[in-house]
Short mmCIF file of all heavy atoms in Angstrom, two decimals:
data_model
loop_
_atom_site.label_atom_id
_atom_site.label_comp_id
_atom_site.label_asym_id
_atom_site.label_seq_id
_atom_site.Cartn_x
_atom_site.Cartn_y
_atom_site.Cartn_z
N GLN I 336 -20.42 57.99 92.95
CA GLN I 336 -21.22 57.31 91.95
C GLN I 336 -21.88 58.29 90.98
O GLN I 336 -23.06 58.20 90.65
CB GLN I 336 -22.26 56.41 92.63
CG GLN I 336 -21.60 55.32 93.47
CD GLN I 336 -22.58 54.34 94.09
OE1 GLN I 336 -23.78 54.59 94.12
NE2 GLN I 336 -22.07 53.22 94.58
N ALA I 337 -21.05 59.24 90.51
CA ALA I 337 -21.51 60.23 89.54
C ALA I 337 -20.32 60.69 88.71
O ALA I 337 -19.15 60.39 89.02
CB ALA I 337 -22.15 61.42 90.25
N HIS I 338 -20.62 61.42 87.61
CA HIS I 338 -19.58 62.03 86.79
C HIS I 338 -19.23 63.41 87.36
O HIS I 338 -19.96 63.97 88.19
CB HIS I 338 -20.06 62.20 85.34
CG HIS I 338 -20.44 60.93 84.66
ND1 HIS I 338 -19.59 59.86 84.55
CD2 HIS I 338 -21.60 60.57 84.03
CE1 HIS I 338 -20.19 58.88 83.87
NE2 HIS I 338 -21.41 59.28 83.56
N ILE I 339 -18.12 63.95 86.87
CA ILE I 339 -17.72 65.33 87.18
C ILE I 339 -17.48 66.06 85.88
O ILE I 339 -16.85 65.53 84.96
CB ILE I 339 -16.45 65.37 88.06
CG1 ILE I 339 -16.77 64.95 89.49
CG2 ILE I 339 -15.80 66.76 88.04
CD1 ILE I 339 -15.57 64.90 90.41
N GLN I 340 -17.96 67.31 85.82
CA GLN I 340 -17.67 68.17 84.67
C GLN I 340 -17.15 69.49 85.19
O GLN I 340 -17.79 70.14 86.02
CB GLN I 340 -18.92 68.39 83.81
CG GLN I 340 -18.65 69.25 82.58
CD GLN I 340 -19.84 69.26 81.63
OE1 GLN I 340 -20.31 68.22 81.20
NE2 GLN I 340 -20.32 70.46 81.31
N LEU I 341 -15.97 69.88 84.70
CA LEU I 341 -15.32 71.11 85.14
C LEU I 341 -15.46 72.14 84.03
O LEU I 341 -14.84 72.02 82.96
CB LEU I 341 -13.85 70.84 85.46
CG LEU I 341 -13.63 69.77 86.55
CD1 LEU I 341 -12.18 69.36 86.61
CD2 LEU I 341 -14.10 70.29 87.91
N ASN I 342 -16.28 73.17 84.28
CA ASN I 342 -16.56 74.18 83.28
C ASN I 342 -15.72 75.43 83.50
O ASN I 342 -15.07 75.59 84.54
CB ASN I 342 -18.04 74.57 83.33
CG ASN I 342 -18.96 73.40 83.04
OD1 ASN I 342 -18.67 72.60 82.16
ND2 ASN I 342 -20.05 73.30 83.78
N LYS I 343 -15.77 76.31 82.52
CA LYS I 343 -15.12 77.61 82.63
C LYS I 343 -16.16 78.63 83.05
O LYS I 343 -17.26 78.68 82.52
CB LYS I 343 -14.50 78.03 81.30
CG LYS I 343 -13.64 79.28 81.40
CD LYS I 343 -12.98 79.57 80.06
CE LYS I 343 -12.06 80.79 80.15
NZ LYS I 343 -10.89 80.51 80.98
N GLY I 344 -15.82 79.43 84.04
CA GLY I 344 -16.74 80.45 84.49
C GLY I 344 -16.64 81.72 83.68
O GLY I 344 -15.89 81.80 82.69
N ALA I 345 -17.40 82.72 84.06
CA ALA I 345 -17.35 84.01 83.37
C ALA I 345 -15.99 84.66 83.59
O ALA I 345 -15.39 84.55 84.66
CB ALA I 345 -18.47 84.91 83.87
N GLY I 346 -15.48 85.35 82.57
CA GLY I 346 -14.18 85.97 82.68
C GLY I 346 -13.09 85.05 82.18
O GLY I 346 -13.32 83.89 81.84
N ASN I 347 -11.87 85.56 82.17
CA ASN I 347 -10.77 84.80 81.57
C ASN I 347 -9.70 84.40 82.57
O ASN I 347 -8.68 83.87 82.19
CB ASN I 347 -10.12 85.62 80.45
CG ASN I 347 -11.10 85.89 79.31
OD1 ASN I 347 -11.83 85.00 78.90
ND2 ASN I 347 -11.12 87.12 78.83
#
Side-chain angles (χ1 to χ4, degrees):
Q336 298 184 346
H338 300 304
I339 286 177
Q340 182 170 305
L341 302 168
N342 299 320
K343 188 176 182 68
N347 297 316

